[in-house]
């Protein structure tokens, strides 16, 4: 494979960033939060900050937050300080369910058919790659995820930053936020002072999938956790004293699967809600169940949680156990109702995509976006999310269409130029 120095800047950056193992780590019940949750994130944060300084970022522009993420406030091009203030954000962590350090990235010059990765019997099916003949596809070797989510977004923003600072690409006020622990729902919005966020007009993430769709709405996403408590005993000698919480938890998960839509319902109906048990961990004495109720409707989201709680209480009682809810966090809201009335602040991003020859679609993403997490606390901020060429996120099949990735910095820069041409009305 060619040396990374021969690649365009954005691809070179991505291939360097994915060599760091930055998988976030979910904390256990009653464990004190640690942010970043993994040391690899700290290492990459340090590397990215050093790189920014070599590009010309002044120390006075940098604000390090308590979770060790950091903001960089880029002054507007002279005379454009009244333009909308755009915050660009990307997270350094990767999904914790799959190994995260990519030792052997692979570029496939795709000519059709399945892509068989050399390790792990991993096959990216041709059905995922339809229309990409002649493209270059970046993947891992099959032993890890790729980590384009969201290191590709970070690479795009860093490449755009270089153009802003060193090649006179005009822009209004821009803030860059390099975030941590997004994948475990603990993005550090609590560390952002409201006076900072209230200065932003647009919070734009480069954390989507294929280039073209712009995410303008998403699920109400709950982070929901129950603990089933039982009692352990020798199953042969003292079976009457055995109250197996893990049996209760398994029955709960299976009954919820029968009682509510599962994620695959979205294949036929993208608007459908679903209930998913993300993991079960424990034994007879105690079992932790983490769940993900997802709905585009807030009332239905509440109903799903109430239904799950009542079912868990009934099943726990049947097994002689107890159950308690230890976490119920609204991680994201459906931000469509925020974006739709403020479409003038979506227009520059949309037009930049159109002028690049892309067919733009507005997507209601079946997940949560970083911006919709921020909207939980700041319900008036416009929070679109754009793609970069990513596919099959959160798994061994993850890949990035490099031909799309390498176009994304120019589209982002064009959007920033268009924002710079707008004047925000002065507050009365």
């Amino acid at each position: 494979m060619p040396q990374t120095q021969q690649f365009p800047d954005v691809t070179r950056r991505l291939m360097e960033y994915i060599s760091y193992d930055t998988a976030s780590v979910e904390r256990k019940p009653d464990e004190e939060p640690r942010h970043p949750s993994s040391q690899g994130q700290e290492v990459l944060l340090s590397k990215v900050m050093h790189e920014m300084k070599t590009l010309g970022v002044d120390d006075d522009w940098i604000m390090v937050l308590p979770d060790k993420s950091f903001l960089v406030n880029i002054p507007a091009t002279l005379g454009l300080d009244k333009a909308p203030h755009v915050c660009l954000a990307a997270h350094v962590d990767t999904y914790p369910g799959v190994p995260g350090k990519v030792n052997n990235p692979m570029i496939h010059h795709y000519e059709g058919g399945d892509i068989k990765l050399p390790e792990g019997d991993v096959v990216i099916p041709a059905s995922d790659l339809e229309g990409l003949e002649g493209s270059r596809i970046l993947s891992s070797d099959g032993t890890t995820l790729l980590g384009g989510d969201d290191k590709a977004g970070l690479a795009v923003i860093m490449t755009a930053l270089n153009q802003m600072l060193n090649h006179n690409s005009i822009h209004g006020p821009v803030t860059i936020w390099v975030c941590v622990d997004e994948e475990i729902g603990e993005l550090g919005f609590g560390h952002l002072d409201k006076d900072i966020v209230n200065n932003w007009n647009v919070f734009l993430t480069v954390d989507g999938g294929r280039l073209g769709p712009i995410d303008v709405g998403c699920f109400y996403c709950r982070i929901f956790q129950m603990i089933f408590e039982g009692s352990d005993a020798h199953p042969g000698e003292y079976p009457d004293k055995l109250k197996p919480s893990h049996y209760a938890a398994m029955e709960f998960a299976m009954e919820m699967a029968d009682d509510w839509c599962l994620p695959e319902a979205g294949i036929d109906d993208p608007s459908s809600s679903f209930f998913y048990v993300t993991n079960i961990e424990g034994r007879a004495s105690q079992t932790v169940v983490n769940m993900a109720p997802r709905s585009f409707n807030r009332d239905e989201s509440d109903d799903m949680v109430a239904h799950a709680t009542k079912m868990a209480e009934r099943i726990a009682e049947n097994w002689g156990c107890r159950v308690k809810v230890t976490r119920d966090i609204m991680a994201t809201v459906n931000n469509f109702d925020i974006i739709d009335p403020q479409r003038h602040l979506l227009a520059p991003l949309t037009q930049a995509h159109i002028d690049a020859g892309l067919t733009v679609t507005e997507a209601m993403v079946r997940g949560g976006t970083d911006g919709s997490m921020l909207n939980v606390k700041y319900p008036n901020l416009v929070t679109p999310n754009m793609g970069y060429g990513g596919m099959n996120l959160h798994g061994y099949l993850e890949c990035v269409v490099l031909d799309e990735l390498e176009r994304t910095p120019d589209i982002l820069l064009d959007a920033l130029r268009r924002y710079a041409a707008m004047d925000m009305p002065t507050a009365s």
Side-chain angles (χ1 to χ4, degrees):
M1 188 173 64
Q3 296 297 310
T4 57
Q5 290 86 342
Q6 298 176 6
F7 297 135
D9 282 353
V10 65
T11 297
R12 174 185 57 78
R13 286 189 169 97
L14 173 58
M15 294 183 72
E16 180 176 0
Y17 299 162
I18 62 177
S19 68
Y20 294 85
D21 186 356
T22 61
S24 45
V25 179
E26 291 189 287
R27 57 189 169 99
K28 299 184 183 302
D30 303 321
E31 185 177 63
E32 286 295 316
R34 176 184 181 273
H35 297 298
S37 63
S38 58
Q39 186 176 5
Q41 292 183 72
E42 293 190 46
V43 174
L44 183 53
L45 285 169
S46 177
K47 183 263 175 288
V48 171
M49 185 181 291
H50 175 76
E51 183 181 355
M52 284 183 167
K53 290 180 180 180
T54 66
L55 294 178
V57 166
D58 192 290
D59 285 343
D60 291 341
W61 300 353
I62 299 172
M63 176 184 295
V64 180
L65 301 180
D67 63 355
K68 299 186 182 177
S69 69
F70 62 91
L71 301 169
V72 180
N73 294 300
I74 313 298
T77 301
L78 187 64
L80 299 177
D81 55 306
K82 293 183 179 179
H85 191 142
V86 179
C87 179
L88 306 174
H91 61 89
V92 298
D93 65 313
T94 59
Y95 174 64
V98 181
K101 181 179 181 181
V102 182
N103 294 311
N104 186 26
M106 310 189 72
I107 295 179
H108 311 273
H109 296 269
Y110 184 61
E111 298 300 335
D114 298 340
I115 294 178
K116 172 70 170 69
L117 303 185
E119 303 292 340
D121 295 323
V122 177
V123 176
I124 304 173
S127 57
D128 290 352
L129 304 167
E130 186 176 350
L132 291 174
E133 292 81 4
S135 300
R136 293 166 300 131
I137 311 292
L138 178 67
S139 76
S140 75
D141 63 1
T143 60
T144 67
L145 50 62
L146 180 65
D149 176 12
D150 188 31
K151 293 171 183 175
L154 179 60
V156 167
I157 291 171
M158 291 293 289
T159 304
L161 174 64
N162 182 39
Q163 291 294 115
M164 284 189 280
L165 295 181
N166 298 303
H167 299 280
N168 299 317
S169 181
I170 65 169
H171 56 89
V174 173
T175 295
I176 295 172
W177 186 21
V178 184
C179 314
V180 302
D181 289 331
E182 188 264 3
E183 296 290 2
I184 56 173
E186 297 187 10
L187 208 60
F189 295 129
H191 302 304
L192 288 172
D193 188 281
K194 66 179 180 180
D195 292 335
I196 294 173
V197 181
N198 286 340
N199 283 326
W200 300 342
N201 304 108
V202 178
F203 183 82
L204 172 59
T205 47
V206 188
D207 193 16
R210 295 290 299 277
L211 186 59
I214 299 173
D215 298 332
V216 298
C218 68
F219 277 142
Y220 286 92
C221 294
R222 306 286 271 265
I223 297 175
F224 193 64
Q225 183 181 77
M226 288 177 175
I227 296 181
F228 288 80
E229 296 180 330
S231 59
D232 215 339
H234 192 292
E237 295 291 331
Y238 311 107
D240 58 320
K241 295 181 174 60
L242 180 63
K243 310 297 180 186
S245 72
H246 53 319
Y247 279 34
M250 288 189 293
E251 181 178 333
F252 166 77
M254 295 307 297
E255 191 164 328
M256 278 305 296
D258 290 337
D259 212 38
W260 208 280
C261 288
L262 293 177
E264 54 262 33
I267 296 173
D268 298 319
D269 180 9
S271 67
S272 65
S273 306
F274 68 83
F275 193 98
Y276 180 58
V277 174
T278 55
N279 73 299
I280 300 176
E281 182 177 352
R283 53 187 305 157
S285 57
Q286 184 184 85
T287 303
V288 179
V289 181
N290 291 295
M291 292 161 285
R294 301 288 186 254
S295 175
F296 288 108
N297 181 277
R298 173 61 190 264
D299 289 341
E300 185 178 39
S301 175
D302 292 341
D303 290 344
M304 294 167 80
V305 168
H307 180 81
T309 303
K310 289 180 181 178
M311 178 185 291
E313 289 171 348
R314 171 176 55 80
I315 292 172
E317 184 178 0
N318 290 343
W319 286 95
C321 299
R322 301 174 305 280
V323 66
K324 61 182 179 182
V325 175
T326 55
R327 297 177 77 192
D328 179 9
I329 300 170
M330 182 65 77
T332 70
V333 298
N334 187 346
N335 51 350
F336 179 79
D337 292 336
I338 298 166
I339 293 174
D340 191 46
Q342 303 184 77
R343 285 188 166 273
H344 62 290
L345 289 173
L346 186 64
L349 180 62
T350 302
Q351 194 60 49
H353 281 71
I354 292 171
D355 284 2
L358 295 165
T359 300
V360 179
T361 57
E362 292 186 355
M364 298 290 287
V365 62
R366 289 178 58 81
T369 63
D370 301 359
S372 63
M373 293 184 195
L374 185 56
N375 285 142
V376 173
K377 187 173 182 180
Y378 298 96
N380 297 312
L381 183 62
V382 171
T383 55
N385 179 43
M386 64 181 287
Y388 54 78
M391 300 172 60
N392 295 331
L393 311 183
H394 289 195
Y396 295 102
L397 301 181
E398 184 188 5
C399 55
V400 169
V401 183
L402 290 180
D403 307 76
E404 295 183 9
L405 175 73
E406 290 164 6
R407 298 179 65 190
T408 307
D410 286 339
I411 294 170
L412 179 58
L413 288 164
D414 187 29
L416 292 175
R417 285 189 288 269
R418 292 174 183 277
Y419 281 115
M422 300 173 67
D423 276 346
M424 291 301 295
T426 303
S428 57

